[in-house]
Amino acid sequence: MPLTILSRSNLRELLHSLTRDEIRTLQANLSEALREYSTGSQDKGCSATYQPQRTAITRQNGCTTLFMPATTGKTLGIKMISLQDGAKAGCAIERSGYDADESDSNSNSRRRVSSARNSVASISSEMSDLSVGSSQEDGGSVSPTATKDSGGDSTDSSTLLTGCVNQQPVISKTLGAWPGAGTRDTSPRGSVTLLDGESLPFALINAHELTAFRTALASLMIFNKRKKVRTLLVFGAGTQAYWHIRLALTLRGDEIRRVYIVNRSFDRAAKLLQDIYLPENSDWRRDVKFSAVSSDFGDYFRILKEHVRKADVIFCCTPSLTPLFPAEFLTSREGRQKGRLIIAVGSYKAHMAELHPDILRDEVNVTPPHRHFHKHTRRSGVVVVDSLDAAIKEAGEIVQAGVKPKQLVELGELLMVRHATLNDDGQSEEKGLTEWVEKGNVIFKSVGLGLMDLVTGGDLVRLARERNLGTTVDDF
């Protein structure tokens, strides 16, 4: 069995060479895997009930390593990534989530599938009149009851066991909300090992670029369905920010007009802009206008508020301990005059938060309707996540906001509901769900899954072999 080794530079070269059609194919394969993860039985290899548990160890030097095994039923893999996060030394294995008394995995799988199917009727009846400019202030929620299981790129071994929340201030003094100057690089270091159905290794991939790329692929599944993506706001200037911007413009660049980048360090934001404006990036960059701002700017608060209010899509890609902007930017009457897609992928511990908890509370706590005469976007009643069990324990925004499991819906469940309601013309018959995804207020929180690395990594290895990229060991 030949073994293909993709270094960080190999993988970056491959990712930069991908066409729009190839990216869409990668995204479609990942979409199918996430749908099976959320709704499949144990007969489906991608099903949550068929995924091994992860383990984390923290060494005496404060470096935490997370071991994330996964399987599609046909291939196996494990991702090992480390961060110098200063946690206490020890070892932890992931426990089942909030529903610990459910021991039968097959029963859990059936419960998960039934939940997702029941959500079709729930979304149809409760969201059929959800729109911008409705004549009612509130009312109508999407509440598909999600269940477990887990995954995610957290590296805090304590959250694997307890999910405890460290009390943190909700807004930093600068409103920038990033770790202070000199803080360590939060990008994970490690690798992904892939094995075939006979447990023979066929690939070894550097995890840094893969993690950012596959996260952006998942984030943009909802982005692809949005009606309006004219203005993007991106918090952060690292690898995650780069791939969210690049994939967004590659997939829908002809509709995007402005990209605002907000970062604590203006120098780093400027470096990101330099990379974007390289001559070889002109095809996907097009004539989109970019601008950058940092928390050092004298008029930062006013500019930040203006950017948030103008944005059609907000990408949060920072390891922030405190919210990136005040909740009222989005929760006030002015803030809810239009629907936005808000994607948060940067925080990875229960005490971290890119979004103010009040933003999530405002979205999920639906009150009885009453008449009004101002334009607004109605509350959906849910937050979308990649893995419910992991989000409940590790997503700081969700933990701190006290969002309940019934107020969360997995991305895979949304994909399943849409797939189940397509008519012969390929159009969804669920008008409420379609309007919400296309125009409503949608919050997506991602903590990551080992399955995402396995599926996307395997596809990338096949493309690398076609392009003769990487190092091949013929008889490993």
Side-chain angles (χ1 to χ4, degrees):
M1 168 63 68
L3 176 75
T4 298
I5 302 172
L6 295 179
S7 67
R8 182 176 177 182
S9 59
N10 294 150
L11 188 57
R12 189 170 179 83
E13 180 181 352
L14 172 62
L15 296 179
H16 285 184
S17 71
L18 295 175
T19 66
R20 181 178 180 179
D21 288 343
E22 287 172 333
I23 291 172
R24 287 195 177 278
T25 298
L26 292 170
Q27 196 174 50
N29 292 342
L30 180 57
S31 171
E32 179 63 21
L34 291 176
R35 186 166 69 88
E36 287 189 4
Y37 172 84
S38 294
T39 65
S41 67
Q42 189 162 320
D43 295 334
K44 299 287 187 179
C46 292
S47 170
T49 57
Y50 203 62
Q51 298 303 315
Q53 293 182 331
R54 355 171 245 183
T55 302
I57 60 169
T58 301
R59 288 173 279 168
Q60 295 291 342
N61 62 1
C63 181
T64 297
T65 300
L66 187 65
F67 301 84
M68 299 170 60
T71 177
T72 66
K74 297 179 180 178
T75 60
L76 309 168
I78 184 166
K79 179 179 182 179
M80 294 174 285
I81 54 172
S82 297
L83 281 174
Q84 187 68 39
D85 61 357
K88 294 182 179 179
C91 179
I93 186 167
E94 180 185 50
R95 292 176 177 171
S96 59
Y98 57 91
D99 196 14
D101 59 344
E102 178 66 71
S103 59
D104 184 353
S105 62
N106 288 321
S107 173
N108 179 55
S109 176
R110 288 191 296 271
R111 193 157 47 88
R112 178 183 280 269
V113 174
S114 175
S115 164
R117 289 174 177 167
N118 289 341
S119 70
V120 177
S122 174
I123 293 175
S124 176
S125 62
E126 297 179 3
M127 292 196 61
S128 59
D129 58 352
L130 192 157
S131 64
V132 177
S134 167
S135 62
Q136 296 178 347
E137 174 66 28
D138 293 299
S141 64
V142 194
S143 299
T145 305
T147 56
K148 53 183 182 177
D149 284 292
S150 61
D153 281 359
S154 168
T155 55
D156 183 3
S157 58
S158 64
T159 61
L160 288 173
L161 288 174
T162 65
C164 293
V165 182
N166 296 329
Q167 298 301 315
Q168 299 286 339
V170 292
I171 289 290
S172 65
K173 293 181 180 179
T174 64
L175 294 176
W178 289 270
T183 302
R184 57 163 176 78
D185 181 10
T186 58
S187 301
R189 298 179 179 178
S191 64
V192 177
T193 302
L194 305 179
L195 299 85
D196 65 13
E198 297 180 354
S199 297
L200 296 175
F202 68 87
L204 178 64
I205 310 172
N206 184 284
H208 181 275
E209 208 82 21
L210 176 60
T211 299
F213 179 80
R214 57 80 155 155
T215 301
L217 270 186
S219 296
L220 295 176
M221 289 177 188
I222 300 177
F223 173 86
N224 287 342
K225 306 300 179 184
R226 299 294 290 183
K227 281 290 188 181
K228 186 177 180 181
V229 294
R230 186 181 181 90
T231 303
L232 310 185
L233 172 59
V234 183
F235 287 93
T239 309
Q240 284 283 11
Y242 174 84
W243 280 112
H244 277 78
I245 293 171
R246 179 165 183 145
L247 291 188
L249 267 64
T250 299
L251 294 171
R252 301 187 64 179
D254 54 338
E255 303 170 60
I256 299 169
R257 295 292 177 265
R258 292 295 302 259
V259 176
Y260 299 114
I261 298 173
V262 181
N263 194 60
R264 178 187 61 81
S265 165
F266 184 76
D267 289 343
R268 192 173 184 188
K271 177 62 171 61
L272 175 59
L273 287 178
Q274 288 176 354
D275 291 342
I276 291 172
Y277 274 95
L278 290 173
E280 57 265 33
N281 292 331
S282 60
D283 288 345
W284 62 265
R285 186 185 66 241
R286 294 181 173 87
D287 58 351
V288 176
K289 296 181 180 179
F290 291 83
S291 61
V293 64
S294 80
S295 55
D296 294 332
F297 280 39
D299 212 9
Y300 175 69
F301 187 87
R302 180 191 63 79
I303 297 172
L304 180 65
K305 183 176 182 180
E306 183 178 286
H307 286 355
V308 171
R309 291 281 174 82
K310 287 183 177 180
D312 300 308
V313 181
I314 300 175
F315 295 123
C316 300
C317 306
T318 78
S320 180
L321 299 179
T322 52
L324 301 172
F325 52 87
E328 65 91 16
F329 284 6
L330 295 180
T331 59
S332 65
R333 178 175 297 182
E334 293 77 12
R336 295 193 67 89
Q337 286 187 357
K338 70 174 184 178
R340 296 176 183 84
L341 171 60
I342 306 165
I343 294 173
V345 303
S347 62
Y348 53 88
K349 295 183 183 181
H351 70 276
M352 303 172 74
E354 297 179 282
L355 300 176
H356 194 294
D358 285 349
I359 295 174
L360 278 71
R361 294 190 189 105
D362 184 69
E363 191 63 31
V364 301
N365 294 326
V366 180
T367 57
H370 62 273
R371 305 295 294 182
H372 84 305
F373 299 97
H374 63 267
K375 181 180 178 181
H376 76 295
T377 299
R378 295 177 60 188
R379 291 154 181 81
S380 65
V382 298
V383 173
V384 184
V385 296
D386 49 2
S387 169
L388 181 135
D389 196 50
I392 285 291
K393 293 180 292 185
E394 300 167 11
E397 294 91 346
I398 290 171
V399 173
Q400 294 174 33
V403 178
K404 307 299 182 185
K406 67 180 181 180
Q407 297 168 323
L408 299 175
V409 57
E410 286 184 343
L411 177 60
E413 285 187 296
L414 280 185
L415 298 170
M416 178 270 181
V417 171
R418 184 178 183 279
H419 179 80
T421 59
L422 292 179
N423 58 27
D424 293 338
D425 296 326
Q427 301 296 317
S428 176
E429 297 177 348
E430 296 299 329
K431 183 179 179 181
L433 173 62
T434 299
E435 288 188 356
W436 172 57
V437 171
E438 291 181 349
K439 299 185 295 184
N441 219 50
V442 180
I443 301 174
F444 174 58
K445 173 60 189 174
S446 173
V447 293
L449 293 168
L451 180 65
M452 295 162 66
D453 301 287
L454 180 59
V455 173
T456 302
D459 287 342
L460 290 173
V461 168
R462 285 186 283 274
L463 289 173
R465 288 176 174 175
E466 292 174 4
R467 287 166 164 79
N468 294 316
L469 288 174
T471 302
T472 299
V473 180
D474 291 325
D475 188 17
F476 184 79

